[in-house]
Amino acid sequence: MKEYSITVVKTNNPNILKFETNHLLVHRKNYEYKNIDEAKYSPLAQQLFYLPFIKTVYISGDFIGLERFDIVQWEDVKDEVAQQLVEYLNAGEPIVIEEDMDKPIPVTVYAEVTPNPSTMKFVASKKIVGAAFEFKNIDEARDSKLATALFQFPFVKQVFIDENYVSVSKFEVAEWDDITIELRELIRNFIADGKEIVADTAKSNNPTQVSETVTTQPTMDLDETSQEIVDILEEYVKPAVASDGGNIMFKSYDTETKTVNVILQGACSGCPSSTFTLKNGIETMLKNMMGDKVNEVVALNG
């Protein structure tokens, strides 16, 4: 049985707190409940409304959002709520009783070019996974039916899946003009049919977690400088890299040489412009923000 963990995340609204999960909770749509009657099809939401300070419950793909009444402050109760959610989910209790599961999910997918000429980004109109996954061949793709289906095409070299998009890297034997429509339709139909994108047993390619987490799973132990580097990558670099269909992960920091090693994935992996971007962007940013703690950034292809 899958094991859930919860990450507590603040929002722009001080009354609303997000409790992110490491597994998808619902597949069809987002849900909002303002009272226990509205939550008749969500046993989880009903359970939460027994807490007197809960005003609204939001349930989305990989998080539960809770809005509180002013009778309490989140700092006083968030840990207890997170623990209660962990226990509820790990007990295998139902989250939402979703109706009409056999009907296709309305979804659109569009193709978007990336800086890497060998990689195309296919963006969906909904979130499809809660973490980043990279597959270099069909054997690695055994935990992803979508990636396995894509590897049936002989021209598919690598598959990277994150948030609401799929980055597909190809061999030179095929041209994008000839294969883009076929790949886009396969991905769109796969999502619309409600098929599992990545199995719950699959391991994400992002081992670091910088938010406060309620979990029994081991996390990466980082020194203060490494954690600072991770925070900078997460806040300033990853969003820009993701917009190009790629991902960057912190690998290690050498305290003697002051060298930062990162892993490039998706469209960034093997991209002709990656080294230039790294040296003139990421390395410069880390040097400016961290001073003499960083001498060099080295990129490793995922």
Side-chain angles (χ1 to χ4, degrees), residues 114-121 155 157-158 167-172 174 176 179 266-267 269-272:
T114 75
N116 187 343
S118 67
T119 301
M120 186 73 74
K121 180 181 178 182
F155 50 77
K157 183 179 181 180
Q158 290 184 181
S167 289
V168 178
S169 300
K170 69 173 181 65
F171 290 104
E172 295 181 0
W176 285 120
I179 62 177
S269 181
C271 177

Side-chain angles (χ1 to χ4, degrees), residues 65-229:
L66 298 179
E67 182 180 10
R68 63 172 174 82
F69 286 107
D70 292 335
I71 59 173
V72 298
Q73 297 298 315
W74 276 124
E75 286 300 317
D76 299 327
V77 298
K78 62 182 177 64
D79 291 338
E80 289 79 2
V81 173
Q83 189 60 46
Q84 180 175 327
L85 288 171
V86 167
E87 293 174 358
Y88 183 95
L89 295 172
N90 284 330
E93 299 293 338
I95 300 165
V96 175
I97 301 172
E98 297 186 288
E99 299 177 332
D100 301 326
M101 292 297 290
D102 294 332
K103 292 184 179 180
I105 304 170
V107 63
T108 58
V109 174
Y110 68 88
E112 185 178 283
V113 296
T114 75
N116 187 343
S118 67
T119 301
M120 186 73 74
K121 180 181 178 182
F122 296 88
V123 185
S125 57
K126 66 183 293 292
K127 191 168 186 175
I128 57 176
V129 292
F133 301 89
E134 184 175 48
F135 308 101
K136 297 180 181 179
N137 54 59
I138 197 168
D139 286 338
E140 290 187 3
R142 61 184 178 273
D143 289 327
S144 172
K145 293 182 180 179
L146 174 56
T148 298
L150 289 168
F151 277 116
Q152 301 302 315
F153 296 107
F155 50 77
V156 171
K157 183 179 181 180
Q158 290 184 181
V159 177
F160 178 78
I161 306 174
D162 191 13
E163 295 283 337
N164 68 326
Y165 69 88
V166 181
S167 289
V168 178
S169 300
K170 69 173 181 65
F171 290 104
E172 295 181 0
V173 68
E175 298 295 332
W176 285 120
D177 289 344
D178 300 325
I179 62 177
T180 297
I181 294 177
E182 188 174 14
L183 291 174
R184 180 175 62 82
E185 286 304 298
L186 184 149
I187 295 170
R188 189 193 68 80
N189 292 335
F190 199 96
I191 299 170
D193 290 341
K195 296 179 180 178
E196 183 180 58
I197 306 298
V198 178
D200 292 325
T201 55
K203 293 184 178 180
S204 169
N205 294 111
N206 189 0
T208 61
Q209 179 66 300
V210 298
S211 303
E212 54 181 309
T213 304
V214 178
T215 177
T216 58
Q217 299 175 345
T219 56
M220 180 181 291
D221 293 324
L222 300 176
D223 58 75
E224 184 177 347
T225 302
S226 296
Q227 186 63 64
E228 187 177 354
I229 294 169

Side-chain angles (χ1 to χ4, degrees), residues 1 5 19 55 58 62 151 174 182 202 204 243 261-262 265:
M1 187 176 71
S5 62
F19 297 82
K55 181 179 181 180
Y58 308 90
D62 65 341
F151 277 116
E182 188 174 14
S204 169
S243 68
N261 293 295
V262 297
Q265 295 179 313

